[in-house]
C-alpha cells in the first residue's frame, strides 16, 4: 500500500462554501459532463457538526451550479450517536437525509441500535435505497446488493457491504428470532471468503448491467478486530472495483492498494461527525480524476462560523429545536474535562486519537465508577466502545450526558467467579496495541496487559468468544487491592448489552447468576452519581488526570 498524503487548506473550504452561486440564478448552468460523487460516513447524528448538513448542501449546490452533476451516498452509522437520534429513534436524522437528497446508503452496525424492526421501518421511510450484498435474513439478501445510477450519461454502480462485526458490535439479540436463533447475518466466516465472494458477485453483476465504474460503499474499517473483513482484505481478494468508500473506523486514511489482479484501487474514508466530506471527481470521458476528502478540523462548525443560510440549515435548526427543551437542561457541573479522545496524540491526518478504546482514561474511570457505586457491586466493567464522547469542563447538560452514553442502556449485576472476570478482561485486551470497542474500562479492580504476548482469544463465525489458548496477556489483577481469586466469587456490574446479551462478543457471562437484571436508564444513573455521590460537581482531585488513576497498566 502507499499513502496518498492529501490535505485541503482551510481557505479552500472557505472558498468552496462561500462561493457566490451566480450560475444558480441563471436558467440552468451549462453542464460540464463531469460528475462529483460526494460521500459521508459515521455521521452519528452530528448533523450540525463539522461541515454539517448545511455545509454539505452548500458544497453540493455550488458544484451543481457550476455545471457538475452530483451523486450523494452515505456509508453507514448515520442514525445513532446523539440526542436527536436517541429521542426520535433515528427518524429525525433520516428526515434530514431525505431532505438532503441522498441517492443511496448502506447500513452500518449502529443502524441496528434501535432494534431490527425499527431499522426496517426507517428503511421504508427513506426516500433513497439501502443496499448491502452481505446483509441477509435466513440466508437471503434483505436489500439489493448494488444499484446502478446514471449521471451525465454515464452508468455508475454502487455496491454495499457491511462489516460482519455487526452481529456482536450491535446487540446480538437484534439478529435473533424469538427462539433465540440467529436469523439475520452478514456472511461471517473465519476466512472472510463468503464476504469476498458476495462483493465479487455484486461487482460482476453491476458490470454486466452496463456499469462503467464501480464504487464499493463499505462499512468495514481498518481495526484489527475487523479482520478478515477490513477494506484491505476485501480489495486484496476481489477485482473490478474502482474506488472503495469506507467507514466504521472513524479514520481519514486515503490509501491506494492493489486488488487480486494487480490493479490499483483507491480507498477513501471520511472520519466521523461530518469532520470531512469525501469526493470522487469523474471526467466527462468517464475517468476518475481524483478521490479525496475536504476536511473541517475546527472546533466551530462550518454552518456556525460561516453563517450558512440555506435549505438544510433551516431543516437542521427545526429538527434540533424539537429536542432542545430536554437536552439543554443543566444537570451537573465538572471542574475537569473527561476524555474519550486523546488531548495530545493525533492521528497522521491531524484528528484526535480515540484513546478510550485502547487505554485507561478519566472518563472511562468515571463511567465505570457510576456503574459500581450506583449498583453496589464489587467490580464494574464497561467497554470503551460504549463511551462515545468527551464530557467537557463546565456546566453539564442532559444532552452532554446523552452524547457520552447515547444507547439508552441499563445495567445489571451478576455473581461471577474470578476466572470469569479474568476471561472478560483477556477478551477486551485481545486487539492491543490496536483499538477495540470491547476494551474494558474498570472500577473496583486494577490490571496489567502485556502486549508482547500474542492474544490467544478465539471466536466463532459471529465473533462470539469461544475460548482462550496459550499464555495470557492480562496479569496482576487486584480487586480492592487484593489479588483476584480465580475460584472466588464477586459481584460484577455492567451494561446489559454486554453482560446479558453477548454484546462485543462477550460469552463469558453466560450462565452466571443474575442478582439484578435491570437498573434504571444509564443517563439518569450518571446524573444521580454526580449529584448524590459527588455533590453535583465532578471534582479535579479524583478525575484530574486525563489518563486515569492507574487502574490499567499496559506493558509494552
Amino acid at each position: 500500500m502507499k499513502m496518498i498524503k492529501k490535505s485541503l487548506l482551510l481557505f479552500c473550504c472557505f472558498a468552496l462554501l462561500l462561493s457566490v452561486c451566480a450560475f444558480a440564478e441563471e436558467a440552468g448552468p451549462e453542464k460540464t459532463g463531469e460528475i462529483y460523487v460526494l460521500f459521508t460516513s459515521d455521521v452519528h447524528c452530528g448533523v450540525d457538526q463539522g461541515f454539517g448538513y448545511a455545509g454539505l448542501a452548500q458544497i453540493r449546490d455550488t458544484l451543481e451550479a457550476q455545471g457538475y452533476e452530483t451523486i450523494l451516498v452515505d456509508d453507514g452509522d448515520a442514525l445513532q450517536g446523539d440526542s436527536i437520534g436517541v429521542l426520535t429513534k433515528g427518524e429525525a436524522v433520516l428526515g434530514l437525509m431525505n431532505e438532503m437528497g441522498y441517492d443511496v446508503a448502506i447500513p452500518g452496525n449502529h443502524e441496528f441500535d434501535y432494534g431490527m424492526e425499527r431499522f426496517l421501518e426507517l428503511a421504508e421511510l427513506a426516500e433513497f435505497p439501502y443496499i448491502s450484498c452481505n446483509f441477509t435474513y435466513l440466508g437471503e439478501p434483505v436489500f439489493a446488493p448494488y444499484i446502478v445510477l446514471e449521471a451525465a450519461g454515464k452508468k455508475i454502480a454502487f455496491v454495499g457491504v457491511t462489516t460482519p462485526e455487526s452481529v456482536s458490535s450491535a446487540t446480538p439479540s437484534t439478529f435473533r428470532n424469538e427462539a433465540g436463533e440467529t436469523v439475520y447475518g452478514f456472511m461471517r466466516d473465519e476466512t472472510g471468503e463468503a464476504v469476498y465472494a458476495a462483493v465479487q458477485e455484486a461487482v460482476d453483476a453491476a458490470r454486466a448491467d452496463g456499469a462503467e465504474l464501480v464504487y464499493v460503499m463499505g462499512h468495514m474499517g481498518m481495526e484489527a478486530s475487523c479482520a478478515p473483513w477490513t477494506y484491505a482484505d476485501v480489495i486484496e481478494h476481489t477485482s473490478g472495483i474502482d474506488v472503495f468508500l469506507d467507514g466504521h473506523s472513524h479514520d481519514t486514511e486515503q490509501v491506494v492498494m492493489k486488488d487480486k489482479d494487480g490493479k490499483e484501487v483507491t480507498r477513501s474514508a471520511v472520519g466521523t461527525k461530518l469532520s470531512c466530506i469525501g469526493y470522487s471527481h469523474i471526467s466527462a470521458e468517464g475517468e476518475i480524476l481524483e478521490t479525496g476528502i475536504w476536511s473541517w478540523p475546527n472546533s466551530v462548525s462550518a454552518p456556525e462560523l460561516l453563517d450558512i443560510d440555506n435549505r438544510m440549515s433551516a431543516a437542521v435548526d427545526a429538527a434540533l429545536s424539537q429536542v432542545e427543551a430536554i437536552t439543554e437542561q443543566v444537570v451537573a457541573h465538572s471542574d475537569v474535562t473527561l476524555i474519550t479522545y486523546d488531548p495530545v496524540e493525533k492521528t497522521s491526518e491531524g484528528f484526535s486519537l480515540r484513546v478510550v478504546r485502547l487505554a485507561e482514561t478519566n472518563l472511562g474511570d468515571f463511567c465505570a465508577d457510576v456503574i459500581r457505586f450506583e449498583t453496589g457491586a464489587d467490580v464494574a466493567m464497561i467497554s470503551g466502545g460504549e463511551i462515545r464522547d468527551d464530557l467537557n469542563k463546565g456546566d453539564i447538560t442532559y444532552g452532554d450526558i446523552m452524547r457520552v452514553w447515547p444507547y439508552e442502556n441499563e445495567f445489571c449485576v451478576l455473581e461471577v467467579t474470578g476466572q470469569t472476570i479474568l476471561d472478560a478482561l483477556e477478551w477486551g485486551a485481545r486487539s492491543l496495541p490496536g483499538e477495540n470497542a470491547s476494551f474494558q474500562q474498570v472500577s473496583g479492580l486494577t490490571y496489567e496487559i502485556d502486549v508482547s504476548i500474542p492474544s490467544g482469544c478465539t471466536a466463532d463465525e459471529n465473533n462470539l468468544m469461544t475460548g482462550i489458548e496459550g499464555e495470557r496477556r492480562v496479569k496482576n489483577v487486584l480487586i480492592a487491592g487484593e489479588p483476584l481469586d480465580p475460584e472466588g466469587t464477586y459481584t460484577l456490574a455492567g451494561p446489559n448489552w454486554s453482560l446479558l446479551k453477548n454484546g462485543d462478543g462477550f460469552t463469558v457471562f453466560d450462565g452466571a447468576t443474575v442478582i439484578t437484571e435491570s437498573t434504571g436508564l444509564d443517563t439518569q444513573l450518571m446524573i444521580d452519581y454526580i449529584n448524590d455521590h459527588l455533590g453535583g460537581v465532578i471534582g479535579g482531585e479524583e478525575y484530574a488526570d486525563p489518563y486515569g488513576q492507574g487502574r490499567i497498566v499496559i506493558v509494552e
Side-chain angles (χ1 to χ4, degrees), residues 6 17 120 166 185 269 318 400 404 464:
K6 282 190 176 296
L17 288 169
L120 296 178
S166 298
D400 293 331
V404 174
L464 298 176

Side-chain angles (χ1 to χ4, degrees), residues 74-86:
D74 183 82
D75 295 328
D77 280 8
L79 306 179
Q80 170 277 337
D82 209 335
S83 52
I84 189 174
V86 172

Side-chain angles (χ1 to χ4, degrees), residues 496-529:
N496 289 359
W497 180 75
S498 54
L499 271 62
L500 296 181
K501 300 179 181 179
N502 300 142
D504 275 331
F506 284 100
T507 57
V508 295
F509 308 114
D510 291 354
T513 300
V514 178
I515 297 175
T516 302
E517 184 171 356
S518 188
T519 63
L521 195 63
D522 53 6
T523 50
Q524 186 59 53
L525 291 183
M526 183 179 288
I527 294 170
D528 292 344
Y529 174 74

Side-chain angles (χ1 to χ4, degrees), residues 81-136:
D82 209 335
S83 52
I84 189 174
V86 172
L87 295 177
T88 66
K89 302 294 186 186
E91 190 163 348
V93 180
L94 183 73
L96 291 173
M97 293 179 72
N98 285 339
E99 183 72 21
M100 188 65 236
Y102 275 87
D103 294 292
V104 61
I106 65 170
N109 54 300
H110 287 297
E111 255 68 61
F112 304 101
D113 283 351
Y114 307 122
M116 183 61 69
E117 182 178 355
R118 179 57 174 166
F119 169 62
L120 296 178
E121 287 176 354
L122 293 171
E124 287 292 323
L125 294 174
E127 295 173 5
F128 51 86
Y130 276 94
I131 60 171
S132 179
C133 71
N134 69 318
F135 174 39
T136 64

Side-chain angles (χ1 to χ4, degrees), residues 31-35 69 150-156 283-284:
K31 297 295 184 181
T32 65
E34 299 181 25
I35 304 164
E69 293 194 31
E150 292 195 29
K154 303 170 186 64
K155 289 187 175 182
I156 303 170
S283 71

Side-chain angles (χ1 to χ4, degrees), residues 4-80:
I4 303 176
K5 299 295 185 180
K6 282 190 176 296
S7 63
L8 189 67
L9 295 176
L10 188 58
F11 73 83
C12 293
C13 291
F14 275 91
L16 183 59
L17 288 169
L18 295 178
S19 293
V20 178
C21 301
F23 297 103
E25 298 178 3
E26 301 173 1
E30 181 179 351
K31 297 295 184 181
T32 65
E34 299 181 25
I35 304 164
Y36 270 91
V37 175
L38 302 176
F39 51 99
T40 58
S41 183
D42 298 278
V43 173
H44 284 298
C45 298
V47 298
D48 61 341
Q49 300 179 42
F51 283 99
Y53 279 146
L56 175 59
Q58 191 75 18
I59 291 173
R60 190 179 197 185
D61 292 347
T62 298
L63 290 171
E64 292 184 350
Q66 293 172 347
Y68 300 103
E69 293 194 31
T70 65
I71 296 172
L72 178 60
V73 307
D74 183 82
D75 295 328
D77 280 8
L79 306 179
Q80 170 277 337

Side-chain angles (χ1 to χ4, degrees), residues 134-306:
N134 69 318
F135 174 39
T136 64
Y137 174 71
L138 295 177
E140 297 298 321
V142 177
F143 299 129
Y146 69 93
I147 187 173
V148 178
L149 301 178
E150 292 195 29
K154 303 170 186 64
K155 289 187 175 182
I156 303 170
F158 295 87
V159 173
V161 58
T162 302
T163 177
E165 265 202 319
S166 298
V167 173
S168 58
S169 59
T171 303
S173 60
T174 297
F175 306 100
R176 299 170 181 163
N177 60 17
E178 293 181 356
E181 302 164 326
T182 299
V183 291
Y184 288 94
F186 297 87
M187 299 185 179
R188 182 186 179 105
D189 61 26
E190 293 184 359
T191 65
E193 292 294 335
V195 170
Y196 312 152
V199 172
Q200 189 65 67
E201 182 179 352
V203 170
D204 293 344
R207 293 285 186 188
D209 278 352
E212 301 163 58
L213 295 171
V214 175
Y215 287 76
V216 168
M217 297 168 57
H219 196 83
M220 306 299 277
M222 58 183 293
E223 299 166 353
S225 61
C226 298
W229 314 284
T230 65
Y231 75 86
D233 293 320
V234 174
I235 293 173
E236 287 177 348
H237 290 87
T238 58
S239 61
I241 299 170
D242 292 297
V243 179
F244 196 110
L245 311 178
D246 195 25
H248 189 46
S249 293
H250 295 193
D251 70 282
T252 55
E253 289 197 8
Q254 311 298 299
V255 176
V256 171
M257 61 176 293
K258 292 182 178 181
D259 67 11
K260 74 172 185 179
D261 290 343
K263 173 191 168 184
E264 289 191 337
V265 177
T266 297
R267 180 265 188 178
S268 182
V270 294
T272 186
K273 299 280 188 179
L274 293 174
S275 59
C276 301
I277 303 297
Y279 67 89
S280 187
H281 184 190
I282 303 170
S283 71
E285 292 72 35
E287 177 186 357
I288 298 174
L289 300 175
E290 183 180 28
T291 299
I293 58 175
W294 294 309
S295 302
W296 190 272
N298 302 334
S299 59
V300 180
S301 70
E304 181 180 353
L305 184 63
L306 304 179

